[in-house]
Amino acid sequence: MISLNNISLAFGERVIFDGVNWTLVPRSRVGLVGDNGAGKTTLLRAIAGSQELDGGSIDILDRKNTTLGYLPQDLIELESLHILDFLKKRSGLSDLETTLKNCEEQVSLCPPDSPDHEAFLKTYEKAMAAFQAKDGYAFEARARQVLHGFGFRDSDFAKNCLEFSGGWKMRILLAVILLARPDIMLLDEPTNHLDTESMEWLESYLRDYPGTLITVSHDRTFLDKITTVTAELSQGKVTLYKGNYSFYLAEKEKRRLALLKELESQKAEIRKIQEFVERFRYKATKAAQVQSRIKMLEKMELVRAEGAGKTVRISFPSCPSSGRDVISVRGLSKAYGENEVFSDLNFTITRGEKVALVGMNGAGKSTLSRLLSRVEDPSAGEVRFGLHVKLSFFSQESAENLNYDRTVLEDVNNVSSRCNDQEKRNLLGAFLFSGDDIHKPVAVLSGGEKSRLALLKILMQDANLLILDEPTNHLDMKTRDIFQEALLEYAGTVILVSHDRYFLDRLVNRVIEIRDGQAFEYKGNYSYFIVKREEALGNIGTPPSAAKGSVLSDNGREGKLQRKEMRRLEAEERNRRSKIRSALKKELSTLEKSITSLEEKKGTLEATLCTPEIYRNPEQLKTLQQDLHGINRDLQQSYTDWDDLTEKMEAMENEAGEGIFPPPA
């Protein structure tokens, strides 16, 4: 049991904890949520014992015999050891093995009747009991299982920990905690450096974890699957919700509405009391009742309710429509030296599609995104862009292209964009640059701030093709939701690499998986991809065999999906399609208004050109003819765009008529 007893902490004038009291019973599974800067990481560090408090205490029952594992959000440098040796050392098995070996040597050297012989035997028995309690003989097998779950290959086990990148080092640290089987597990953003397959493996592992778990995560799918209690840290207080993250969102809104209702009732009661006081203030016969009501008002505890908050929306600048085929990939291959990433990929992405590139870390998702963006050249094959394609590409390296001599606002103002000043400030606010933050020099921004600024600048461009490699890594949940809504309404084409499964689920209508150097295609959102992939792998037992560059067909026997799961997938797909249809209708309505306006202008110009007087002024005649030519050109493009949009609308309606998950052919 963990008890937080009236804890308080402040950094200068900023209050982090304000008299927080909270008791966690054993086996609690808590998702700790709150805005950026609310103090979630600080609270985990305080429970772990690495953060001193200004007041109060944090008590852990039977602390001496309770083990605690803490995964920090920031990387801790590892030791120069092979992975398995490092895991063994951090688990305490290395010391136990050394003790056992020393005891064996000493026992063999001491006479059986000597006191030292007895002492070494007792030490040996104690160390052996501890070794067996840690499942020492099976440790290497368990370690390999965990490392495989996190995407490590057998060839990695002989590597030194220092050879790995930061993301892989964090996986090693997480493996240390899982293998230690602590009584209390504190995980700060455990999914940050995991691919979706590793996240799913971690979720299945944690489902059977018998201890107390407290986690901070921006991955709402992870929180929904793992946690049963949500603790919101806000304004120095902790508020508990007895359910997962989705329950928390719904319950928080219910509580807010209930408080607003209570607040209105209290206001009505206060008005009634005040009216009585004013009416009878000067009547001696009512003096006692007036004083009683005045005291009642003084003692009344006012209800405080949060408003719904300002709804922030962002949208992409309008841009010309591209041709129907946006990107065509033919025979695409990439290798770095002898390391072949993938070969002979073939697929076409059409206008308006929102496509996810998925696969395990190292499968080649980011490599493919760079090839599609023409940032990098392929080893073989080609990437062709369609007509009128205007590309914007975001990757983690985009932050390196910022101008470090400018402030945030100056760098944003330097982007060639149709956004006006207010729209730019709205974007800055949505991406967590508010107040004086917009006047910060770019050079002093943190890595996350630079990444957000680079993404913001890309969104300001009037592109009709977005290729985004992990765009949500440094966005909090509110900003992710705002960004996602903008992408849902975006009329252009999106190719997305992301580990955020909730983000992918609501957004994409097609998934391309890179696996074993090949591309496998799934027509649907991320949940549909997971179901179909598991069905295919389960039916065959091994990854589907296919000719290189082919796509995985949806043919074959429909898997035995749970009805509830199928209904959920269908509802999500309907919602996604509804949002796409709404965006198309909105775009179509705007285009029809534009066509009407252009046709009216054309009619007016043609009528003017029919008057004899106009031919007496050659300069004016030339100008009017040029204007008419421009209007005819714009009209022709608008008619083409209208045809494309109506074709899309018809395709959406046909899909709806065929059903969301059509039966196999």
Side-chain angles (χ1 to χ4, degrees), residues 26 70 108 118 193 227 254 280 333 397 421 492 582:
Y70 171 50
S108 67
E118 184 68 23
H193 303 282
T227 64
K254 283 183 188 176
F280 299 110
S333 301
E397 289 74 35
D421 287 343
S582 296

Side-chain angles (χ1 to χ4, degrees), residues 78-91 94 139-140 143-144 147 152-164 168-169 172-173 175-176 179:
L78 308 185
E79 297 175 64
S80 180
L81 293 170
H82 291 161
I83 296 182
L84 290 175
D85 291 336
F86 176 77
L87 295 178
K88 195 174 282 189
K89 181 176 180 180
R90 288 294 294 266
S91 68
S94 293
F139 180 82
E140 186 167 326
R144 287 176 179 272
L147 291 172
F152 289 91
R153 303 182 183 94
D154 288 339
S155 58
D156 293 325
F157 298 159
K159 290 182 180 178
N160 191 296
C161 290
L162 303 186
E163 293 180 43
F164 293 95
W168 288 96
K169 287 177 181 176
I172 295 172
L173 282 178
V176 168
L179 289 167

